[in-house]
Amino acid sequence: MTKVNVEYNKDTLELVNELAEKINANNTVQFEREGDQVTIKACDVAESVVYIFKADKSHFDFDEDMCTFYNFPEFYNLLKSFNEPEIVQEGQTLTIKENRSRIKYQLSDDDIIDEDEKIEDVDWDSSDIVLNLTQDNISKISKMSNAIEADKVKLSVKDEQLTVKLFNNKHDNTYDDVFDVTNPQDLNLELVLEKDLFNKIPLGDYTVNINEDLLVQFVLKNVEGFTIEIYASQMSED
């Protein structure tokens, strides 16, 4: 069986690990090759938050068409125990090695994720509301969500502004923050999102798009060589 040196980007794998820990059901990650790109399409257990990650293949240039980790954080913790390791793939086995030290890691079968459970690309036609959230905005909302033990996140658009409101149905503590939209128009809407949404989003600057179907898209900005799109949909307030 042929041995293949796997080119990878350590920072990218760290980001994938963060996504896996925060969003992926059971921490399972499946990389799929699409031309000169590798992709990950996954959701949380409740299927309320979905993300699509795409990167140049140099960020993780594995052999074959798919590369599946039953528990990606487990693999990542082994990888980061070295300083600048090589990764060699031989079939379903990855060898992490540096100098005279090495670890062998067994990949999972690709069919561990059923075809009917796989996430498709989201067909995003247009954005009715657009705004920008900075890393500081995301961090602050996340911290306040934890502080008041928020049950839900409500987004309200009115008078060309978007209000993010965190609330808990068990008490009266709330937190509000207001942001200007970048495409002002005469449109009022309101939607409720999963409570941990802002805790699941990796820190960074985002363009936030909302469409008339009350689907929210977060697009990570100012990155090179890869893209992350995170989607969240309307939830019941019950």
Side-chain angles (χ1 to χ4, degrees):
M1 192 171 291
T2 304
K3 293 183 179 181
V4 177
N5 287 319
V6 178
E7 182 180 3
Y8 70 95
N9 182 296
K10 184 183 295 186
D11 292 337
T12 300
L13 295 187
E14 180 179 7
L15 179 58
V16 170
N17 183 66
E18 182 180 356
L19 288 166
E21 291 185 321
K22 291 182 175 181
I23 300 179
N24 287 56
N26 304 318
N27 295 334
T28 299
V29 171
Q30 185 172 78
F31 291 85
E32 187 170 356
R33 190 185 302 282
E34 295 182 353
D36 291 332
Q37 288 188 319
V38 293
T39 68
I40 306 170
K41 302 172 186 177
C43 65
D44 61 0
V45 174
E47 299 183 359
S48 60
V49 179
V50 170
Y51 76 87
I52 298 174
F53 169 92
K54 297 185 178 183
D56 297 339
K57 66 179 184 179
S58 60
H59 286 247
F60 190 53
D61 194 12
F62 54 89
D63 196 18
E64 305 297 337
D65 295 327
M66 288 186 184
C67 186
T68 305
F69 297 83
Y70 177 74
N71 186 336
F72 187 84
E74 178 183 67
F75 165 78
Y76 181 73
N77 285 333
L78 294 173
L79 181 69
K80 73 177 185 179
S81 66
F82 294 91
N83 292 318
E84 296 293 336
E86 295 179 61
I87 300 177
V88 177
Q89 182 174 1
E90 186 176 9
Q92 289 293 95
T93 302
L94 296 182
T95 300
I96 307 168
K97 62 180 184 178
E98 186 174 42
N99 300 322
R100 296 183 179 182
S101 301
R102 64 187 59 212
I103 295 173
K104 288 188 179 292
Y105 185 88
Q106 191 69 22
L107 294 169
S108 298
D109 292 336
D110 294 332
D111 59 7
I112 193 173
I113 299 178
D114 294 336
E115 284 296 325
D116 58 359
E117 295 178 351
K118 291 187 177 181
I119 305 298
E120 301 294 335
D121 282 329
V122 177
D123 186 13
W124 193 275
D125 293 327
S126 62
S127 301
D128 296 290
I129 299 295
V130 181
L131 66 147
N132 295 304
L133 293 180
T134 66
Q135 177 169 310
D136 288 342
N137 296 148
I138 299 290
S139 177
K140 186 176 183 181
I141 295 171
S142 176
K143 289 177 181 177
M144 293 308 299
S145 177
N146 293 330
I148 70 169
E149 299 179 342
D151 285 332
K152 297 284 189 338
V153 179
K154 180 184 289 184
L155 304 186
S156 304
V157 178
K158 186 177 182 181
D159 299 328
E160 301 178 357
Q161 291 183 319
L162 181 140
T163 300
V164 177
K165 182 176 183 177
L166 308 174
F167 61 96
N168 186 320
N169 289 325
K170 297 178 182 178
H171 53 64
D172 295 329
N173 296 342
T174 63
Y175 169 78
D176 296 73
D177 209 342
V178 179
F179 304 92
D180 294 324
V181 302
T182 61
N183 62 334
Q185 54 182 299
D186 185 18
L187 179 65
N188 296 335
L189 60 83
E190 186 175 281
L191 67 156
V192 177
L193 302 174
E194 200 263 349
K195 66 174 183 176
D196 292 325
L197 174 63
F198 285 93
N199 292 326
K200 293 179 176 180
I201 296 174
L203 287 179
D205 299 331
Y206 288 85
T207 298
V208 182
N209 303 295
I210 306 173
N211 67 16
E212 60 183 3
D213 296 324
L214 301 185
L215 183 65
V216 184
Q217 177 196 56
F218 295 80
V219 181
L220 184 63
K221 302 193 298 183
N222 306 320
V223 293
E224 186 175 346
F226 67 90
T227 62
I228 296 177
E229 297 173 0
I230 298 173
Y231 296 88
S233 57
Q234 164 84 337
M235 294 183 64
S236 169
E237 290 193 55
D238 296 336

